[in-house]
Amino acid sequence: MKEKEIIEKLEDIEEQLRFYQQLGADFLVLPDRPAGGERPAGGLIGLKNEPENQIVQSGEWEKLLQRIKGCRFCPLFQGRTQAVPGEGNYQAKLMFVGEAPGRDEDLQGRPFVGRAGQLLTKIIEAMGFKRQEVYIANVVKCRPPENRTPRPDEVKACSIYLLSQIDLINPKVIVALGKIAAEFFLQANKSMSEIRGHFGQFKDIPVMPTFHPSYLVRNEGNREIKRLVWEDMKKVMKLLESS
Ligand code: URA
């Protein structure tokens, strides 16, 4: 094996171990990244994270957020504390899309802030990003009662918002977290195990379906699921690096 290949392999292994550590594998003690050796969050893959590109409240965004916050397109508005439009970098190259807000999200008005959200943040950081450098949204913007799965009519009523967000951001890659998001983009009538790990396409944007972080939380001890998610995220990172 050539020196370059060995270094690449070692980097690969280190990334993977770091990922497991981020997900709570406390038994792993990894050295801090050497000064200057850290993957610049977003830098390596060219995320446009210059200050002038950060969270600019442009007119269009402002209008969209207000519409979402006041939406009454489906009955879910009746049960919400507040709608959860999404958050992050309006110029993000990488977008994560989940299912719908849960209890914590409904209370705070922010996506993925509960247990699954903390895990998602770790995944994002293991990929070399800061949370605020990507964009995080859900298919449905209001919490369904008892966190039930959103119904097709609710998904349809809400779809205009996610489509507008994707239009405005125009990300290079979308990660679809779980079945509802995967179905939204790929209309695949297959199980997550079958479709995860393979890029699909939504309006020319590559979409990587992977397991929902809540599924990882529910199967905390299952290393195989973690490994599969990390495999999927490596494909995403590779695509971003080459684009
Ligand atoms: N699950 C989701 O799908 N979205 C959230 O924002 C939180 C949990």
Side-chain angles (χ1 to χ4, degrees):
M1 213 188 288
K2 293 200 193 91
E3 194 185 341
K4 187 166 168 280
E5 284 174 276
I6 295 171
I7 290 171
E8 276 172 8
K9 271 257 168 310
L10 286 173
E11 282 177 353
D12 231 37
I13 293 167
E14 196 202 318
E15 283 296 338
Q16 184 152 3
L17 291 175
R18 224 169 265 290
F19 177 68
Y20 291 147
Q21 195 188 43
Q22 295 265 23
L23 296 188
D26 299 332
F27 53 89
L28 290 170
V29 182
L30 291 172
D32 289 338
R33 286 181 196 272
E38 186 168 353
R39 167 180 293 203
L44 183 71
I45 59 175
L47 186 88
K48 297 182 233 156
N49 61 348
E50 298 84 10
E52 64 270 25
N53 286 331
Q54 297 283 320
I55 320 276
V56 184
Q57 287 284 3
S58 75
E60 270 173 298
W61 271 105
E62 190 52 42
K63 262 190 259 166
L64 179 61
L65 297 185
Q66 288 314 323
R67 286 212 177 127
I68 295 173
K69 286 180 185 165
C71 180
R72 290 173 169 230
F73 281 171
C74 85
L76 291 182
F77 83 88
Q78 291 164 342
R80 74 182 174 218
T81 310
Q82 52 193 318
V84 181
E87 67 180 23
N89 186 343
Y90 294 163
Q91 314 260 328
K93 289 196 169 185
L94 178 56
M95 187 166 176
F96 290 84
V97 178
E99 181 176 310
R103 186 173 165 276
D104 295 307
E105 291 77 20
D106 171 75
L107 290 173
Q108 294 186 40
R110 298 179 54 209
F112 283 98
V113 288
R115 259 190 95 195
Q118 284 159 20
L119 187 59
L120 176 63
T121 304
K122 286 178 179 173
I123 292 172
I124 292 167
E125 287 171 357
M127 293 172 81
F129 291 102
K130 293 186 186 125
R131 189 178 148 109
Q132 61 269 30
E133 290 173 324
V134 303
Y135 195 87
I136 305 173
N138 283 302
V139 172
V140 166
K141 311 301 188 194
C142 295
R143 182 193 182 198
E146 310 300 325
N147 295 346
R148 67 158 166 75
T149 305
R151 290 198 300 252
D153 55 312
E154 293 158 353
V155 169
K156 197 167 172 206
C158 214
S159 62
I160 180 71
Y161 299 129
L162 181 56
L163 293 176
S164 304
Q165 288 171 313
I166 293 167
D167 244 26
L168 287 170
I169 296 168
N170 193 21
K172 290 262 180 278
V173 185
I174 295 172
V175 175
L177 301 165
K179 198 162 166 53
I180 292 292
E183 278 173 359
F184 180 89
F185 293 114
L186 306 172
Q187 269 101 42
N189 232 347
K190 294 181 183 164
S191 70
M192 276 311 294
S193 302
E194 285 173 287
I195 60 171
R196 63 137 285 275
H198 306 283
F199 279 110
Q201 201 82 7
F202 180 77
K203 295 178 191 256
D204 290 342
I205 303 171
V207 175
M208 173 56 75
T210 196
F211 293 120
H212 194 287
S214 301
Y215 183 65
L216 290 186
V217 169
R218 284 199 302 276
N219 295 280
E220 209 163 33
N222 189 328
R223 288 188 192 188
E224 180 58 10
I225 304 174
K226 288 180 188 170
R227 190 187 69 75
L228 293 174
V229 171
W230 185 235
E231 287 303 313
D232 302 346
M233 294 310 100
K234 275 199 299 190
K235 288 182 188 168
V236 169
M237 286 152 71
K238 203 162 174 192
L239 186 87
L240 284 168
E241 276 169 28
S242 67
S243 67

